[in-house]
Amino acid sequence: MPSITIDLGSEITNISTYDVFISNCDPISWQLVADDITYSEFPLVINPDGFGVTEDCVQYYISGDTGCECNGTIYVASPTPTPTTTPSVTPTITTTPSVTPSITTTPSVTPTLTTTPSITPTISDTPTPTPTISVTPTQTPPPCEEVNIQTLSIGSPLQDVNVFLGYMPTDGSGAYQSICDLLLCDSISNIGIGSGLIECTISIPTMSGLPTTVGECVEIQYPSGLECITYSQTQFNEVCVGPAFASQELYIIVPSELGNTVYTLSECNGGMAIQLYGTCDHDPQLSDPTGLIVGVNVQLNENGQWVFNGEVEPTLQLDCGIEYHFHVCSSGSTTQLWFADNYELSSESTPNGNDALNSSNGLDNNGAWNSTIVVDTVGSGFPSGITGTLWYGTNDVQGAAGQIQIIGGC
């Protein structure tokens, strides 16, 4: 069987990778032919024989990591047969002529005359056959598809969890830890956040994709026969979560190539829905990110330098109207991350005097080493009360590591 070409067309926003399936048109049996490929790897040229697809009619189905993309049908050979026609037969007609006998006269004998008549042949005509053409209809994709939720193993003994009750302070006043800290910092095994395992499949309508803007609701559904039904709050409480999680706003993490995104599960427009909350370790650079929580993964490398989302000691540019969560993972109390407007260190091993920023400036949990620093440019208007240059650095290093710039008027 010859190879076929599957193309995607235009690239779709918010879809990073794609899975490609093929099947005979009848019966349908999807076979994975490409896993987690990018848009640049299209068009895809494959031989269906190598995947057990041997019919002339081949269906394909492309599924993106955040929603279904497209499907279609390819005919490997023309489905219209070339009819074979048996031509009419023109017979050859052979005629035996009448025979005139030779007459010999014998006295007193009358001869007998024998005549062979002409032969009329029988002519047979074979009719031209009419071919039969079969048409296979295009298969409809599944009405909903499962969301890939991140499952973590935490606690002692280890327990699998993938749904959380949210963010909450632990270990005293002003200390923050989050589900992102749990995901990003290897040294954290258990934190003060309620967590559990969702006991049902979380699916969303095919082709809808996960929400990409704050306030957008995408229905949470479950398959029932040939259709998918949206969960009500009551159904979700009974089927999917334990009593401690019922009727509360829940948090999940969905991984992708760009990083880990946090979504909420809550009621919206009379049914259960998934909504965008924020990111753990990347900025999705949405067209209107106002109200979004943007997460930054902060690590300390072997040279004692701060690394923000993989970039060593950059100039931090913070946009107004966004709340930033800096998830700090370092080695201990001597490598705390501090934000300040000056870095003349004193014997206190912290930014000198009142130079360290605090909640009155729109910043909480300054000096974190294994938790979250929150910078709020939305409600508190960071950097409230500060007119000078802003810096970040480590408490036991003389001088600042990098500068902080505020984009827009806060």
Side-chain angles (χ1 to χ4, degrees), residues 150-343:
Q150 177 80 47
T151 298
L152 309 176
S153 295
I154 63 173
S156 181
L158 290 176
Q159 179 183 6
D160 288 338
V161 299
N162 61 11
V163 62
F164 307 87
L165 284 176
Y167 288 62
M168 62 178 65
T170 61
D171 299 333
S173 175
Y176 287 72
Q177 285 183 321
S178 74
I179 56 177
C180 290
D181 296 326
L182 185 64
L183 182 69
L184 299 173
C185 300
D186 295 335
S187 58
I188 297 179
S189 61
N190 197 6
I191 59 178
I193 293 177
S195 59
L197 195 64
I198 291 180
E199 300 173 2
C200 66
T201 298
I202 301 297
S203 297
I204 59 175
T206 299
M207 304 296 288
S208 71
L210 290 165
T212 58
T213 56
V214 175
E216 178 186 359
C217 295
V218 173
E219 297 174 349
I220 297 175
Q221 299 183 329
Y222 62 93
S224 178
L226 298 178
E227 61 179 349
C228 288
I229 301 174
T230 301
Y231 277 108
S232 67
Q233 177 79 73
T234 301
Q235 288 174 317
F236 189 82
N237 292 343
E238 293 175 350
V239 178
C240 297
V241 295
F245 291 79
S247 301
Q248 299 196 54
E249 185 173 70
L250 307 177
Y251 296 79
I252 61 172
I253 297 175
V254 178
S256 72
E257 284 191 345
L258 294 177
N260 297 279
T261 303
V262 182
Y263 297 89
T264 61
L265 306 179
S266 59
E267 191 171 29
C268 180
N269 299 325
M272 289 298 293
I274 185 169
Q275 300 182 64
L276 178 64
Y277 178 76
T279 66
C280 283
D281 51 0
H282 73 282
D283 182 348
Q285 298 182 353
L286 305 176
S287 58
D288 181 15
T290 303
L292 175 69
I293 305 296
V294 171
V296 182
N297 182 14
V298 186
Q299 306 278 347
L300 198 68
N301 67 16
E302 64 276 8
N303 297 321
Q305 298 169 298
W306 292 109
V307 182
F308 295 80
N309 284 351
E311 188 175 357
V312 178
E313 295 190 347
T315 295
L316 296 179
Q317 295 184 325
L318 308 183
D319 291 309
C320 285
I322 298 177
E323 183 175 316
Y324 290 88
H325 289 188
F326 292 88
H327 306 292
V328 185
C329 307
S330 68
S331 58
S333 59
T334 60
T335 52
Q336 299 167 345
L337 176 64
W338 286 89
F339 291 79
D341 64 348
N342 207 333
Y343 252 84

Side-chain angles (χ1 to χ4, degrees), residues 78-97:
S78 173
T80 303
T82 301
T84 302
T85 303
T86 303
S88 300
V89 177
T90 303
T92 302
I93 302 173
T94 301
T95 304
T96 302

Side-chain angles (χ1 to χ4, degrees), residues 88-151:
S88 300
V89 177
T90 303
T92 302
I93 302 173
T94 301
T95 304
T96 302
S98 300
V99 177
T100 303
S102 177
I103 301 174
T104 302
T105 304
T106 302
S108 303
V109 178
T110 302
T112 302
L113 301 179
T114 303
T115 302
T116 302
S118 298
I119 300 173
T120 302
T122 301
I123 302 174
S124 299
D125 189 1
T126 302
T128 301
T130 301
T132 301
I133 301 175
S134 299
V135 178
T136 302
T138 301
Q139 180 74 15
T140 303
C144 57
E145 57 186 352
E146 187 174 351
V147 176
N148 179 26
I149 302 175
Q150 177 80 47
T151 298

Side-chain angles (χ1 to χ4, degrees), residues 18-40:
Y18 303 85
D19 298 333
V20 181
F21 304 81
I22 65 171
S23 169
N24 289 321
C25 292
D26 185 18
I28 296 298
S29 178
W30 293 112
Q31 304 297 321
L32 179 66
V33 299
D35 184 29
D36 286 342
I37 64 173
T38 63
Y39 174 76
S40 63

